[in-house]
Amino acid sequence: MRRRKVPLSSFCVEISLLTDCYDFREEKIPRPLIYSYRNAFSGFAAHLSETEAAAIAKKPGVVSVFPDPIFELHTTRSWDFLQVGVSEDVYHSSSSESSSSGADTIIGILDTGIWPESPSFADKDMSPVPSRWKGVCMTAKDFSASNCNKKLIGARYYNEESKVAAWTTDQTPRDSIGHGSHTSSTAAGVAVPSASYHGLATGTAKGGSPTSRLAIYRVCTFEGCKGSAILAAFEDAITDGVDLLSLSLGASPYFRPDFDSDPIAIGAFHAVENGIMVVCSAGNSGPAAGTVVNTAPWILTVGATTIDRDFESDLILGEESNAVIKGEAINFSKLDKSPIYPLIYGESAPANTSTKDDARIVPKLKCFALQPDIAAPGVSILAAFIPTNDSSLVSAGETPSMFNLLSGTSMACPHVTGVAASIKSQNPTWSPSAIRSAIMTTATEANNEGSTIHTDAGSPATPYDYGSGEVNPSKAYRPGLVYEVTMEDYYLFLCNYGYSSDTIKKISGKQTGYNCPSDSSKDSISNLNYPSIAVSKFNGTERTVKRRVTNVGIGDEETTYTVNIKSPAELKVAISPSTLQFRAGTKTLSYEVSFSSSSGTPNHDIFGSLTWTNGKYTVRTPFAVSNN
């Protein structure tokens, strides 16, 4: 349940269905009450019957009451592929006092926990923990305070049964799955030379922001990620003092909650309200349209791309044709290379001890999300893992590896988090929306060979596949212009989305003074000051979208930007004004974009972009125009 901030006595009345009124300031939590959200936002999670939940939902001041959802996980060389090294001159010439990428930036990771002994989380030569850090290092049967250090500065876990049940592996910050260790090291792991997965992908494993600190919030177990735990972690992270939050998890695209009943959207809203950027994975349910999750506009949503590394186990069919099927898999088996094995459907193989009469290798293609904000490497990513003797992961006689190769938008998300942390360290006063804008407007639409990015199916990719493009770290540190979004802008978005003024007051904590405009409409959602533009229900009649940009170019207080439009002939795009002249006293300017078509309603979606440049910086804003 979520509720606005109210006096303690009123709050006690509202939870009277659970227990007699008691003082929340005392650590006396009754069994029906799982979590109490008291600091960053107000509400609680509790065991309720449907009747009790319905009764509470009718009480004054309640925003929403919803079942506790179970979310799912979205499961080195990638940083070299992104050419992070070329940005060294950016760090050294920055006007920021910070001397290294990510220095003292605190990244909160909501995931499966962490394996603290991994070399990726060593703190050699790191400075003392920032004094602003207010978090804790929770202890458990297998996790002591000494497991935290100057790199891993905080660790929490969330388990509603911890107060009444015997100890289990869920009651610890320690990672028993591997996913959290992998994402944490991708975002901020220190450089580890000669890392590999049993000899594959050998090289230096490192995170995108190796000098950043890590705060771990274990919200996921083998059973999934409970929404109540996610909300509790958001509240703790806000009060602990993190700078960014990274979540490689989300709802199923087929059972997506709306913003007012989505724990990630709710928690992220209040995090952004407190100046904390939130980066989330887009899910792995593509390529069908509309399968992206974590779509709230205050979240930076990340899709996955490949890098220039491929692991394949080829399958040769037939003694005569020798047709080769390229398999996307790693194969450590000692299979005979001669074609003597029959092929069956993989799930029909009874066990990993099957005989030669069973299938040996049946590779599967992985499809990821559509319509993210940005894309980043997410396939065959080498990063820290938990040492395991699982026979499915370790060949007989092999020592468990401290690293693993994983794929998914889960792996792409921390790449962007690492970039965002480095931008934050160089620009500590920048808002979450400014950092998001810097990442999106400098992204590239080309692959490493300079040609168009393609999908797995071989077709040219569109903004529905990669958003603004693939993240380009070296350019993101110097964006030139940024699209800022204020909390008032988000309130207006919620008005246009369809929420009432009363609901928005409750969500935001505003007691008075906010009313939705009388002309609020979903047609106006396009006016949210986002770094990309989406126009829906387009019928050819002129539609105008408004944007404003802020000049953040170093040494360019007085500069002029001109615009270039890239659009197919069937769509007329006009921009006014077509020149933006910034002066010392004028850092923010506005412009309008008009879309029209003399041929009427298009029978397909139309893509293009508008690019502002002053000769030094290039700021690209993609657009998508649809009749749906």
Side-chain angles (χ1 to χ4, degrees):
M1 191 204 88
R2 296 190 58 235
R3 192 189 188 287
R4 69 177 186 275
K5 293 183 179 179
V6 294
L8 183 62
S9 59
S10 298
F11 193 41
C12 288
V13 171
E14 293 196 7
I15 65 166
S16 60
L17 286 173
L18 304 176
T19 184
D20 292 334
C21 186
Y22 63 94
D23 192 343
F24 270 104
R25 290 165 295 193
E26 298 180 7
E27 295 301 320
K28 298 177 182 178
I29 301 181
R31 286 186 61 180
L33 187 65
I34 303 170
Y35 299 112
S36 175
Y37 313 121
R38 293 172 280 171
N39 300 315
F41 46 89
S42 295
F44 62 83
H47 295 292
L48 298 173
S49 67
E50 290 187 10
T51 301
E52 291 169 334
I56 290 179
K58 296 177 181 178
K59 288 186 174 291
V62 174
V63 177
S64 58
V65 178
F66 51 89
D68 191 359
I70 302 296
F71 287 175
E72 58 192 30
L73 297 168
H74 291 158
T75 188
T76 79
R77 167 66 188 145
S78 55
W79 289 110
D80 292 330
F81 177 73
L82 290 174
Q83 300 180 24
V84 171
V86 301
S87 64
E88 283 300 311
D89 61 323
V90 174
Y91 297 137
H92 292 277
S93 62
S94 172
S95 60
S96 169
E97 294 180 0
S98 176
S99 60
S100 61
S101 103
D104 280 347
T105 301
I106 302 172
I107 301 174
I109 306 285
L110 275 63
D111 213 295
T112 64
I114 196 164
W115 193 267
E117 293 84 5
S118 169
S120 295
F121 310 125
D123 66 351
K124 183 180 179 181
D125 298 328
M126 293 194 74
S127 59
V129 175
S131 59
R132 60 190 172 85
W133 173 245
K134 307 300 180 186
V136 299
C137 186
M138 292 178 67
T139 59
K141 184 177 179 180
D142 62 353
F143 201 96
S144 68
S146 63
N147 285 130
C148 290
N149 56 25
K150 291 178 287 187
K151 160 62 75 173
L152 174 58
I153 65 174
R156 295 179 182 267
Y157 68 91
Y158 302 85
N159 187 284
E160 64 184 82
E161 306 299 335
S162 62
K163 299 176 179 62
V164 296
W167 185 87
T168 71
T169 55
D170 293 342
Q171 297 167 30
T172 174
R174 183 172 292 277
D175 189 358
S176 57
I177 297 174
H179 191 274
S181 299
H182 198 281
T183 57
S184 297
S185 63
T186 302
V190 300
V192 181
S194 302
S196 73
Y197 178 62
H198 298 294
L200 296 176
T202 301
T204 298
K206 59 185 177 182
S209 185
T211 60
S212 285
R213 319 295 178 139
L214 283 168
I216 303 303
Y217 302 85
R218 183 182 178 181
V219 298
C220 302
T221 67
F222 284 104
E223 284 71 43
C225 315
K226 287 190 175 182
S228 56
I230 292 170
L231 270 177
F234 266 110
E235 182 180 52
D236 284 337
I238 293 170
T239 54
D240 287 347
V242 304
D243 297 304
L244 302 95
L245 283 167
S246 185
L247 291 81
S248 290
L249 54 94
S252 163
Y254 309 108
F255 301 98
R256 284 182 295 181
D258 213 340
F259 297 137
D260 64 345
S261 58
D262 179 353
I264 293 179
I266 294 168
F269 183 89
H270 292 285
V272 170
E273 192 174 33
N274 284 273
I276 300 168
M277 184 174 189
V278 181
V279 184
C280 292
S281 52
N284 296 337
S285 299
T291 54
V292 68
V293 297
N294 297 324
T295 58
W298 44 87
I299 295 173
L300 180 60
T301 309
V302 187
T305 60
T306 60
I307 60 174
D308 57 346
R309 177 171 66 199
D310 210 4
F311 299 103
E312 58 180 278
S313 294
D314 291 345
L315 187 68
I316 302 176
L317 297 179
E319 296 183 6
E320 297 181 0
S321 65
N322 284 330
V324 177
I325 297 178
K326 178 182 175 182
E328 295 185 5
I330 296 173
N331 177 24
F332 290 123
S333 70
K334 296 181 173 58
L335 291 178
D336 193 320
K337 291 185 178 180
S338 60
I340 60 174
Y341 303 110
L343 180 68
I344 65 171
Y345 180 52
E347 291 185 358
S348 300
N352 59 5
T353 56
S354 302
T355 67
K356 69 179 182 180
D357 295 325
D358 301 318
R360 300 306 178 111
I361 307 170
V362 181
K364 294 191 298 182
L365 295 175
K366 295 185 180 294
C367 297
F368 300 127
L370 287 179
Q371 296 176 315
D373 290 320
I374 195 75
V379 177
S380 299
I381 304 301
L382 181 74
F385 204 66
I386 60 174
T388 175
N389 291 312
D390 186 341
S391 60
S392 67
L393 299 176
V394 181
S395 299
E398 289 277 359
T399 301
S401 175
M402 294 294 286
F403 296 87
N404 203 351
L405 291 157
L406 300 181
S407 298
T409 60
S410 278
M411 286 65 250
C413 173
H415 277 86
V416 174
T417 303
V419 174
S422 294
I423 296 173
K424 178 71 174 179
S425 73
Q426 302 300 309
N427 305 277
T429 63
W430 280 17
S431 67
S433 62
I435 297 172
R436 173 183 62 202
S437 176
I439 292 172
M440 291 177 63
T441 60
T442 58
T444 178
E445 294 180 291
N447 61 23
N448 60 317
E449 296 179 342
S451 59
T452 303
I453 296 175
H454 283 68
T455 67
D456 279 345
S459 60
T462 73
Y464 287 167
D465 300 301
Y466 54 60
S468 292
E470 176 146 290
V471 63
N472 188 334
S474 60
K475 289 187 177 181
Y477 302 118
R478 294 282 189 84
L481 304 176
V482 295
Y483 292 85
E484 291 266 25
V485 183
T486 66
M487 293 310 298
E488 292 291 330
D489 292 328
Y490 290 131
Y491 301 151
L492 181 57
F493 164 82
L494 292 172
C495 289
N496 289 325
Y497 188 79
Y499 288 110
S500 68
S501 299
D502 186 55
T503 298
I504 293 170
K505 288 176 185 177
K506 296 171 187 175
I507 291 173
S508 64
K510 287 177 172 287
Q511 301 301 309
T512 59
Y514 189 82
N515 291 292
C516 287
S518 59
D519 60 349
S520 297
S521 165
K522 287 193 174 182
D523 289 340
S524 298
I525 286 178
S526 297
N527 285 323
L528 179 68
N529 201 45
Y530 219 68
S532 60
I533 298 173
V535 176
S536 60
K537 298 182 179 178
F538 181 70
N539 60 8
T541 303
E542 184 174 295
R543 290 275 297 275
T544 299
V545 175
K546 300 176 182 178
R547 286 292 185 272
R548 64 180 184 275
V549 287
T550 300
N551 180 20
V552 294
I554 297 176
D556 286 335
E557 289 187 346
E558 297 196 3
T559 186
T560 299
Y561 280 80
T562 57
V563 69
N564 177 62
I565 301 171
K566 178 183 177 183
S567 178
E570 62 189 297
L571 182 68
K572 181 181 178 181
V573 182
I575 299 178
S576 178
S578 58
T579 300
L580 298 176
Q581 294 183 320
F582 293 93
R583 297 291 178 258
T586 306
K587 296 193 65 175
T588 301
L589 295 173
S590 300
Y591 67 89
E592 295 184 349
V593 188
S594 296
F595 301 93
S596 61
S597 175
S598 58
S599 56
T601 303
N603 58 9
H604 62 279
D605 294 345
I606 302 174
F607 306 104
S609 63
L610 54 96
T611 303
W612 293 97
T613 182
N614 67 347
K616 182 178 180 180
Y617 301 113
T618 299
V619 186
R620 186 177 61 85
T621 298
F623 62 75
V625 178
S626 172
N627 62 4
N628 293 321

